[in-house]
Amino acid sequence: MENEEKVAIAPEKLLKILDVAQKRFARYGLAKTTMSEIADDLGVSKASLYYYFPDKECIFKKVMLKEQLDFCQQMKKIVAADKKIEITLKDYIENRTSYFKNLINLSHLNFDAFQAQKPLYASLGKEFYEREKEIIKSILQNALNRNEIRKINIDEYSGFFVHVLRTLRLYALGRKELWEEGLIEKELKQEYTFFTNIFLKSIEKI
């Protein structure tokens, strides 16, 4: 499976394709969506769509990358408000959980579907890591500037924070019973919150 479009696409044309594809994915999920259906929704031939994209997974990845950028823009506004670190990290957890829920809903994932598409989601997570790390770095730097936390290595601590959240997420995704009981989002939010509270304790000024 390729991960990039075959040829460069004009921004307005790409946005239209992603918007139409997102609606199709949201209604039927990744597994039950075909390139022909996306082409029909766009009012173009299947060949025209294949000219730009090698497969539906490539389109789905582009949709999710757009979602990631939207999440990051939203978080930048929250960070710019420069509130206390406890409040900002709580907002981060809320928004990060919502983003994760949107990913599950958009692809209509279940345990077996996730296992089958692991490489795709792994590549999405890898690209998202650096963006998330920059968000957390900004939050920690603001808190340090306000003298709310002790002096720490911002780069190391932000990387650690994002890495632990990713580990918690992968562990939850690997538990079939959470999928079957519809408890992944609830479990993740609890784990995220628990870890964040420990993290804040570790950097607070004594």
Side-chain angles (χ1 to χ4, degrees), residues 168-203:
L168 292 172
R169 191 161 53 249
L170 291 175
Y171 176 67
L173 287 169
R175 295 173 60 187
K176 192 172 184 178
E177 72 275 12
L178 293 180
W179 287 97
E180 294 173 343
E181 297 169 12
L183 294 175
I184 288 186
E185 181 190 355
K186 181 179 179 181
E187 177 76 10
L188 271 181
K189 191 171 181 179
Q190 289 177 344
E191 295 294 326
Y192 283 173
T193 301
F194 182 70
F195 167 68
T196 300
N197 289 336
I198 294 174
F199 181 81
L200 286 168
K201 282 287 184 182
S202 75
I203 60 176

Side-chain angles (χ1 to χ4, degrees), residues 41-127:
D41 290 346
L42 284 164
V44 301
S45 69
K46 184 169 67 173
S48 296
L49 194 58
Y50 271 114
Y51 176 75
Y52 294 110
F53 297 98
D55 49 41
K56 65 180 181 180
E57 286 81 7
C58 180
I59 298 176
F60 181 79
K61 183 177 178 181
K62 291 293 182 183
V63 169
M64 290 315 305
L65 289 175
K66 179 179 177 296
E67 290 284 305
Q68 288 180 5
L69 290 174
D70 289 344
F71 166 82
C72 290
Q73 288 300 318
Q74 183 178 8
M75 281 308 307
K76 284 179 180 179
K77 292 178 182 178
I78 291 173
V79 173
D82 205 15
K83 296 181 180 179
K84 289 184 177 180
I85 187 171
E86 294 92 342
I87 297 173
T88 309
L89 281 181
K90 180 181 178 181
D91 286 341
Y92 175 81
I93 293 301
E94 290 284 346
N95 283 279
R96 189 61 178 85
T97 305
S98 294
Y99 167 78
F100 175 79
K101 181 181 180 181
N102 289 340
L103 171 61
I104 295 244
N105 291 341
L106 188 62
S107 35
H108 289 220
L109 276 182
N110 55 36
F111 179 79
D112 293 330
F114 173 72
Q115 297 300 318
Q117 294 288 345
K118 262 188 175 180
L120 173 61
Y121 297 107
S123 68
L124 285 167
K126 184 177 180 181
E127 293 191 30

